[in-house]
Amino acid sequence: MIIELKKYNGKTKNNISKMSVISFVGVFIDEKGIISSDIQVLQRQLDVIDIFDNQAIQAFFHAIEGYFLLFYQREGVSIVANDRLNTYPVFYSFCNEGIVISDEANFVVNKCGPLVQNNQAIVDFILCGYVTGEQTLARGLHRLESGNCIVVRENQKKKIHIINCFDYIPRFSKKNETRNELNDTFYQILLSSFQRLAKYINEFEKIPVVPLSGGYDSRLIAVMLKKVGIQNAICYTYGTRLHPEVIKSKEIADRLGYEWKFCPYTKEKWDDVYPSTEMERFLRYSSGNSITPHTMDFIAVKELFSNYNESLLFLPGHTMDVIAGSHLPILSSFSFLPKYIVASLVQKKHYTFHEIYFREKMNINCRIKRQYKEIKKKYKIKSNEFFDFWDIKERQTKLIANSLQIYMFFGFDWYMPFWESEYVDFFLSLPPRLRYKQLFHKQVLHEKIPEFFPKFDVKKVSKWRLIIILIKELISWPFDDLNKMIQRKKYKFIQYRGLAANYGFNRFCAVDSNFDNLETFAKFFVKKTGIQRIFYFFAIKYLTRNDFDLSFLDNRYFKG
């Protein structure tokens, strides 16, 4: 048995007592509701539980809230646990030496010898940017899923217990409270959360850094920091100076009186940075053989903050919009949908980097239906509650949580206010009619903070229209591929517009190095292929850079 947790050595705290050994990186919210990293508190609590009782271990980690990676050892029992969002990933595999566990995927691969590539995982990777479940791009290399812990006992060195300690389970239950009551409840959660954060910032003399885009999430962080008395925050953004979101970012920072930093992105910078040795180190550091590394912030974080000596605390707005309902499909109003429709809606929302062809589509839908069946049986959830469950369990804990690696790579601390349990529990209890298109969230922000959040209304969808949409989905599902073909013939530049607008080239200047501008890129790629997101290129580049064999894929994925 080998357990090596060394990726975050500079931040890891260790303690040895008469009874046990503990290593911890990250923070948790203690019993007093304070953000803490005092590992002796956790160690004392772990020392008194029955270490041989899996239910006792499950109950302990179910109750811990925060962002962390923890190793604990006592009486021949070793426990490795991560948090509810998997912000500090753990990997494991079995080989001749028994179980190998580490926070570095490459360490596990090196110990267990060369592993065969996982073709099914590669399909996930190029279509949505991450590998679903506990799989990775290598067969035999496993990723500990969010909210789980590994228990290894000394007399069972080749056997492990994976204990599921926590899952986010939507329960659409808040139907009887008035809107005013809901508004007040949410704002109180918001205020108490940022008061806790402000106490942490002041106690540890942190300088908060807000990646401020033009959107609601990061704007809300900056506004609330000001409301709780934080004066020294830094806001930053990047891209092209005349992009609307960059202009909005500066406007918000100026109105709040915060320092604003801007990093211009150019094609020349990308051409210089992307092939560099430092970028190669970051890709290996952050991918975990399972997720497309988040490279968009790389240039900005390095240029703007690498020379800071002060203790910075990055506060990204991930991902209030999702919790508030931005990913809910319109059919989430129906609590009982056929499983093939549930699978189809999940696939359409999340497997979006490239048009999906028949063979891959069938395989993906079968896996989603199987997962839906298992989760429905385990938690008794309704079909419309599965959309949030899948989104959080797969996308948020992988692709989104992995974006935090950029801060850790450069040695900075971070915190995500909006994934505290009070926020999540509140929104996951709201009925879909209040969460669709973030209706409640945007309306309550306008009511409580109108000077920064404009009035927002959503045209009400009638029951008859919903029924028509459902019937259309039921009938059209088998003919999706034909529909896409017709649409692509009819609207030549629909994908071009999507590439330009969706985290795309207009703002980040991330044009492929073989092309001078967006127009020539569009003519060569978009009109001829099924590419739908800029991130497809990052996924393919990562795979080819690491010598994966992609010959098994349908050649239409490389057309053009």
Side-chain angles (χ1 to χ4, degrees):
M1 177 179 67
I2 300 173
I3 299 177
E4 282 273 356
L5 303 180
K6 58 180 183 178
K7 183 176 180 178
Y8 312 103
N9 271 346
K11 300 285 186 179
T12 303
K13 296 182 177 182
N14 305 286
N15 193 60
I16 301 174
S17 70
K18 293 180 179 179
M19 291 183 64
S20 61
V21 175
I22 190 171
S23 296
F24 181 89
V25 59
V27 295
F28 65 98
I29 297 178
D30 67 17
E31 293 175 338
K32 298 178 181 178
I34 297 171
I35 300 171
S36 173
S37 58
D38 186 348
I39 62 171
Q40 292 186 29
V41 171
L42 293 176
Q43 190 172 21
R44 286 194 296 268
Q45 293 173 351
L46 278 164
D47 283 348
V48 299
I49 71 168
D50 184 352
I51 201 72
F52 297 98
D53 183 353
N54 286 351
Q55 289 187 342
I57 296 172
Q58 180 186 45
F60 177 83
F61 286 105
H62 179 85
I64 295 183
E65 182 179 354
Y67 309 110
F68 60 84
L69 172 60
L70 180 148
F71 166 72
Y72 178 81
Q73 193 171 55
R74 169 164 64 95
E75 299 176 46
V77 178
S78 300
I79 301 174
V80 179
N82 62 16
D83 59 67
R84 300 171 179 182
L85 271 184
N86 210 352
T87 55
Y88 294 89
V90 174
F91 306 89
Y92 62 96
S93 187
F94 300 90
C95 57
N96 294 333
E97 300 180 61
I99 179 74
V100 180
I101 304 171
S102 178
D103 50 6
E104 288 189 351
N106 290 329
F107 174 84
V108 179
V109 172
N110 292 337
K111 283 291 180 182
C112 294
L115 300 175
V116 178
Q117 73 176 38
N118 184 341
N119 288 348
Q120 177 180 291
I122 288 174
V123 172
D124 277 358
F125 193 82
I126 67 169
L127 292 177
C128 62
Y130 50 93
V131 181
T132 57
E134 47 82 33
Q135 296 187 73
T136 67
L137 293 170
R139 291 190 180 278
L141 175 65
H142 305 277
R143 177 189 176 103
L144 185 65
E145 291 196 84
S146 59
N148 288 0
C149 70
I150 299 175
V151 179
V152 186
R153 297 191 167 92
E154 201 171 63
N155 59 347
Q156 300 174 328
K157 292 185 179 180
K158 292 194 175 184
K159 181 180 178 182
I160 64 172
H161 299 270
I162 303 291
I163 302 176
N164 177 224
C165 303
F166 188 92
D167 277 319
Y168 288 102
I169 309 300
R171 299 294 186 198
F172 301 150
S173 58
K174 286 186 183 294
K175 299 178 181 179
N176 299 321
E177 296 179 46
T178 67
R179 280 298 295 270
N180 285 339
E181 288 173 336
L182 290 174
N183 291 353
D184 292 343
T185 299
F186 170 72
Y187 192 70
Q188 188 54 49
I189 291 171
L190 192 64
L191 197 59
S192 63
S193 169
F194 276 86
Q195 288 170 343
R196 171 170 48 233
L197 180 59
K199 186 173 182 179
Y200 177 73
I201 289 169
N202 292 328
E203 182 178 349
F204 293 93
E205 299 181 339
K206 302 280 188 181
I207 297 178
V209 179
V210 182
L212 184 61
S213 69
Y216 274 51
D217 299 356
S218 58
R219 187 189 313 179
L220 183 56
I221 287 181
V223 168
M224 291 308 298
L225 286 175
K226 195 71 175 182
K227 282 189 176 294
V228 295
I230 299 298
Q231 304 298 328
N232 64 335
I234 299 171
C235 300
Y236 80 95
T237 194
Y238 51 86
T240 52
R241 189 173 288 275
L242 297 180
H243 191 279
E245 289 210 7
V246 174
I247 294 171
K248 176 61 73 173
S249 172
K250 186 177 190 306
E251 176 198 323
I252 296 298
D254 288 347
R255 288 173 61 190
L256 291 169
Y258 284 151
E259 179 183 357
W260 185 76
K261 291 179 175 290
F262 174 71
C263 179
Y265 275 23
T266 64
K267 178 178 179 295
E268 290 70 29
K269 279 188 182 180
W270 279 114
D271 289 348
D272 181 53
V273 168
Y274 210 72
S276 68
T277 303
E278 188 174 30
M279 176 62 81
E280 181 67 33
R281 285 197 299 110
F282 172 69
L283 295 178
R284 291 186 177 278
Y285 177 92
S286 63
S287 77
N289 245 302
S290 55
I291 301 173
T292 310
H294 180 78
T295 54
M296 283 299 187
D297 288 66
F298 186 93
I299 296 173
V301 173
K302 181 183 177 183
E303 284 193 13
L304 298 178
F305 300 105
S306 58
N307 294 325
Y308 265 77
N309 295 320
E310 295 90 345
S311 182
L312 302 182
L313 179 69
F314 282 77
L315 300 171
H318 310 322
T319 23
M320 174 60 93
D321 68 300
V322 173
I323 302 166
S326 67
H327 286 185
L328 278 183
I330 192 169
L331 292 179
S332 61
S333 297
F334 295 99
S335 58
F336 299 100
L337 293 168
K339 64 181 178 181
Y340 74 89
I341 294 298
V342 173
S344 177
L345 291 172
V346 170
Q347 173 249 301
K348 287 177 183 178
K349 179 63 185 178
H350 297 286
Y351 290 79
T352 58
F353 285 14
H354 194 288
E355 183 178 337
I356 307 177
Y357 301 117
F358 185 78
R359 181 180 61 183
E360 291 82 10
K361 179 181 175 180
M362 292 299 101
N363 180 279
I364 290 167
N365 280 4
C366 283
R367 284 189 281 131
I368 296 173
K369 282 188 286 187
R370 188 165 56 246
Q371 187 179 11
Y372 171 55
K373 184 178 178 181
E374 292 170 356
I375 297 305
K376 186 177 181 181
K377 181 179 179 181
K378 182 177 180 180
Y379 292 118
K380 310 297 183 196
I381 67 172
K382 299 174 183 177
S383 57
N384 58 351
E385 294 171 336
F386 181 74
F387 300 124
D388 280 313
F389 179 91
W390 198 97
D391 196 323
I392 295 173
K393 190 70 175 178
E394 300 296 350
R395 177 180 170 84
Q396 302 306 313
T397 66
K398 295 184 173 82
L399 191 67
I400 303 305
N402 191 63
S403 65
L404 302 164
Q405 295 286 321
I406 189 69
Y407 309 130
M408 293 184 258
F409 179 77
F410 287 107
F412 298 125
D413 293 331
W414 55 269
Y415 191 78
M416 290 191 295
F418 296 142
W419 278 98
E420 291 179 358
S421 63
E422 285 184 300
Y423 290 111
V424 185
D425 291 345
F426 176 82
F427 276 107
L428 292 189
S429 68
L430 293 179
R433 62 181 171 80
L434 292 181
R435 294 181 62 225
Y436 180 61
K437 292 191 175 181
Q438 306 179 67
L439 175 64
F440 171 82
H441 181 226
K442 290 186 175 181
Q443 287 184 342
V444 72
L445 289 182
H446 172 67
E447 178 183 307
K448 298 294 185 181
I449 320 173
E451 64 272 27
F452 286 98
F453 296 96
K455 188 176 181 180
F456 178 82
D457 285 307
V458 174
K459 186 177 179 181
K460 188 175 181 180
V461 182
S462 70
K463 290 183 179 179
W464 285 111
R465 176 162 163 72
L466 283 173
I467 292 170
I468 291 170
I469 293 171
L470 175 60
I471 293 171
K472 184 179 177 181
E473 188 73 32
L474 290 168
I475 295 173
S476 66
W477 177 80
F479 307 106
D480 272 352
D481 292 333
L482 178 61
N483 289 339
K484 284 182 181 178
M485 190 183 303
I486 294 171
Q487 290 298 315
R488 287 183 61 200
K489 292 289 184 182
K490 190 175 179 181
Y491 304 106
K492 290 182 180 179
F493 287 97
I494 192 166
Q495 293 165 308
Y496 158 76
R497 290 199 302 269
L499 278 166
N502 188 294
Y503 299 100
F505 304 91
N506 285 352
R507 178 175 178 185
F508 300 130
C509 296
V511 179
D512 186 284
S513 58
N514 294 319
F515 300 90
D516 295 324
N517 56 55
L518 184 58
E519 278 63 43
T520 57
F521 176 88
K523 288 177 183 178
F524 191 80
F525 272 109
V526 181
K527 287 172 65 177
K528 297 180 179 180
T529 74
I531 298 165
Q532 296 173 335
R533 294 289 186 272
I534 182 178
F535 303 114
Y536 170 82
F537 298 99
F538 289 103
I540 288 292
K541 184 70 174 177
Y542 175 85
L543 292 170
T544 55
R545 194 170 188 160
N546 288 280
D547 300 322
F548 283 91
D549 178 11
L550 305 182
S551 61
F552 73 94
L553 287 168
D554 189 313
N555 61 16
R556 286 178 291 180
Y557 287 109
F558 307 101
K559 187 177 178 183

